[in-house]
Amino acid sequence: MDGEFDFPPQGIGHPASKITGLPSEKIFNYEKIVSDIAHLYQEHYPLKPFYYTATMGWDNSSRRKDGYTIYYNYSLEAFYKWLRIIIEQTRRRHDPTKRFMFINAWNEWAEGTYLEPDEKYGYANINTLSKAIFDLPLEDENPKE
């Protein structure tokens, strides 16, 4: 095996970000997950090359009666922060010819996570990804009046 990668939502979501008292044991606050990840990734020392993955919001309750996972409280700001964290880690840990990161997913409509533009949000998710990759601020610092 040449390397490893994470695949949220599997394995991402810590007790501090869990919401209790709801039907599923796996309902997490997206913003808290991102906050936890910043700390987790800084202290992560894998034995093999490791490639990080970000995801947008997640809700697979339409596919599972029990044991579903939900990431609620998704925002472009939190997604951008997650991306910036994994981009920093990727740049720090990998040679420029081996810098890869993953996004879950292009079009997982049934799980509520997708980069593909739609009528409701347009290009917001994919534009946020582009801004993060190219070190651009999320918001225009000089908006036109």
Side-chain angles (χ1 to χ4, degrees):
M1 183 181 332
D2 294 336
E4 301 175 277
F5 67 97
D6 59 358
F7 188 72
Q10 285 81 23
I12 304 287
H14 304 283
S17 62
K18 188 183 288 190
I19 306 305
T20 58
L22 297 174
S24 175
E25 297 275 323
K26 299 185 280 184
I27 299 176
F28 303 95
N29 181 328
Y30 186 92
E31 289 187 358
K32 182 69 174 126
I33 288 170
V34 173
S35 179
D36 291 346
I37 283 171
H39 180 71
L40 177 71
Y41 286 175
Q42 288 174 356
E43 295 184 1
H44 183 224
Y45 300 102
L47 298 175
K48 296 184 180 286
F50 193 90
Y51 303 97
Y52 296 97
T53 305
T55 191
M56 285 74 57
W58 184 269
D59 181 347
N60 65 352
S61 61
S62 66
R63 292 185 182 229
R64 298 172 185 251
K65 181 179 178 185
D66 299 308
Y68 52 85
T69 302
I70 296 174
Y71 286 1
Y72 85 95
N73 204 24
Y74 170 78
S75 68
L76 291 176
E77 292 80 10
F79 179 50
Y80 180 83
K81 182 177 177 184
W82 191 343
L83 293 166
R84 295 301 306 156
I85 291 165
I86 66 175
I87 288 166
E88 175 188 329
Q89 292 298 321
T90 299
R91 287 176 178 162
R92 186 169 64 88
R93 294 172 187 246
H94 296 284
D95 178 88
T97 63
K98 297 178 181 178
R99 289 182 179 159
F100 299 101
M101 58 183 246
F102 298 93
I103 306 297
N104 183 15
W106 173 250
N107 62 354
E108 285 289 350
W109 299 98
E111 281 84 10
T113 190
Y114 53 89
L115 282 172
E116 188 173 25
D118 68 0
E119 290 182 6
K120 184 173 182 180
Y121 299 109
Y123 292 83
N125 287 328
I126 201 163
N127 285 345
T128 299
L129 171 61
S130 298
K131 288 176 181 182
I133 289 171
F134 290 104
D135 300 321
L136 299 172
L138 179 59
E139 298 297 327
D140 188 359
E141 294 175 349
N142 299 311
K144 294 179 183 176
E145 295 180 27

